[in-house]
Structure formats: C-alpha cells, structure tokens
Amino acid sequence: MSVDELAHNPQQAIIAAWLACDDQEKVKALYAKALAQKNALLGDAVHLRGLIELSNICAKDCFYCGIRCSNTKVVRYDLSDEEVLEAADFAQKAGYGSLVIQSGERSAPTFTKRISRLVTEIKSISNNQLGITLSCGEHPLEVYQEWFAAGAHRYLLRIESSNPNLYASLHPSGTRHSYKSRLQALGAVKKAGFQTGTGVMIGLPGQTVFDLADDLLFFKELDVDMVGMGPYLEHVDTPFFTLKETLWPKDKRLAMSLKMIAILRLIMPDINIAATTALQALDPYGREKGVLAGANIIMPNMTMAKVRQNYRIYDLKPGLEEDAELSKSHLEENLAAMGIRIARNEWGDSLHFGKC
C-alpha cells in the first residue's frame, strides 16, 4: 500500500485501507506527500475567506443540525444589510481577498432577492476586489443564475454523505430532504457557471471507512472545484444527540478528517480544499493541521459576537465570544506558529475550474 498507488489508482479498497491505517509513519508520509502536492500546484500559502453567517433561519429539519427549524431553543436572527456590508469592508481591509455568505436554507423570493442585492453591493463597495462564495442551500437553476449574474462566482452545497441510505438517515422523510433534489441542485450550481463545491461530515453515526472512500470518489466523479468537509460534531438539541455513545472518539474523527483531506489532495490535486472550523473545535490547531495535510483554504469568522452563539450548528463551536478582529488575530498567530504563509488580497480561485 503506497502513497503513489493511492494517487494514481484511487479505488474504494485502497482509499479505505489508508483511512483505516494506524501506522503513524505511513500517515505522516501521506500528509507530507499531500502537502508537497499542494505546494507544487497551488503554492505554499493559504487563502482566507471571511465568513459571514447571514442568518440562522432555516426551513430544513436535519437531525444533526443545531439550527434545524424545529429547534425552538435557538434565538433566530437576520443580519442587517449594514452589518453585512461592514463585514465585507472588514474582509477587504484585512486582505482576505474573498468572503463567504452562509445562511440557513430558505427559498422565499424576499430572501433570494436580498442575496442578489447584497452580492451586487459588495462588488460595488469593494470595486470588484472581493471574491464572493455563497452557501445558501438548494434552489432552482434560475436563482443560481441570478446570483451568478450579480457577481458571486463560487457556491458550496454540501452533500453531507454520498451514500443515499446514510443521507436519508440524516433527514426526515419527504421531498424537503431529498438526496435526488440535492444532486439536482449541485447540477444546477454547475450549470449556472459557479465554481462548484460540496462536502461531507466525517464520523457520522453508522458511517464506515468505505462510505468515506466513496465520498472521495463521489467528489472526483462529480468533478467538483472545491470541497469543505470536517468531523461530525453533535449538538445537544438534536435527535442525533441520543446517538453520541455510538460515535467514533473525537481524536479518531479528527485524524480521519485529516486523512480525508490528504487523500483528496492526492486524487484531486488542483481543487480547493478547506480546513474547516470543525477541525478547530477538536484541536486548537486543527485548521492549521488541515493545511499541513493538504488543505489550502481557511474561513475565519467575521460574524459579530452578539449573534455568533446563535449560529451553532454543533456544540463546541470555537470563537463564539470573539469578534472579527479577535478571530483574525488568533488565526494569524496560529498560522505563524505553524509556519504557514497567508496569501493576501487574492481570490484564490480553484485551479481545477474550467478544466475538461
């Protein structure tokens, strides 16, 4: 079982064997090969995307998520346009180069039109200097086309699991939570012209290394441009919290997430891979370790402290008491401590995008 074989012949059995591997010398070699691949193709710097958590109002009722619509303990919020534009201004002054607008899933025309307006205004006030990623759920093709025309150019829609049966276990039955509709939405995102991203949770109840291997092969088959994946973390006010005793230990979920990043870098070398905030929830240097395993994107939170605690999709979410400036300084300190350079004022688009 060699790293070169994994890179050149990615198959379920080979990937699963690497995910199950406990030989730390082999795992270190895997990370080193992935980091070298990332540095050779994409450079040695990490690109930052300032994260704006626009709203925790959500029409979905996913069994694992703390902002699911039936959780009555959540204080719901919508940031004002002024707060969003202030965050965008912060991102530009901080040299992030790009930002991400993320929200609970909603389909009302007032919401979709507001996203279009905010994207247009951000492009205007930044003199088109800020790149914009959206992560606002499933919508028809015409909505994605409108958002793309407004100026957004990346879209993240996580599949959470590429196994249809496991996907079904994460959601209530019915058309509102359909695996088929999720796939159709990802196709519409691509058709609209976006750099297309998706991702999965790692360590879900009932998930196996073969499921995770198939997730990586799913990304490759779908030919995505970017991936955001990280460890599953439970939330006390969700149905899945009752399954907490069946979960992999947190250190295993972290290790498995880092291996997933490294393997994906080797089998899809030119895509953007995010080191997600969930990694930081398990290790203060989790995101930085993700970069050293082959990730090239980090999304520092810019949401104001007064509402951060209300966008808690899982427990243990880090930085809930911080503001954008404090999150920035902590991240920069950690990156410097791990010897990771920051790319300033660059969009950091996916090198993979547009390739046949």
Side-chain angles (χ1 to χ4, degrees), residues 14 27 50 57 68 82 99 102-103 105 119 143 155 173 187 194-196 200 206 215 262 287 299 309 336 345 348:
I14 295 172
V27 173
I57 299 171
R68 61 196 305 261
E82 291 75 17
L99 56 79
Q102 182 182 63
S103 75
E105 296 200 28
V119 169
V143 170
Y155 201 93
S173 59
F194 282 103
Q195 294 175 44
T196 301
V200 296
D215 288 337
R287 293 180 296 180
M299 296 177 286
Q309 63 181 333
N345 301 305

Side-chain angles (χ1 to χ4, degrees), residues 242-254:
T242 61
L243 303 174
K244 62 179 180 176
E245 300 303 325
T246 71
L247 300 174
W248 291 338
K250 288 186 171 65
D251 59 347
K252 181 175 180 178
R253 280 178 266 170
L254 175 63

Side-chain angles (χ1 to χ4, degrees), residues 321-335:
E321 307 302 322
E322 297 178 354
D323 60 13
E325 184 60 50
L326 193 55
S327 292
K328 173 180 176 290
S329 63
H330 283 168
L331 174 60
E332 290 180 351
E333 289 170 7
N334 280 10
L335 289 170

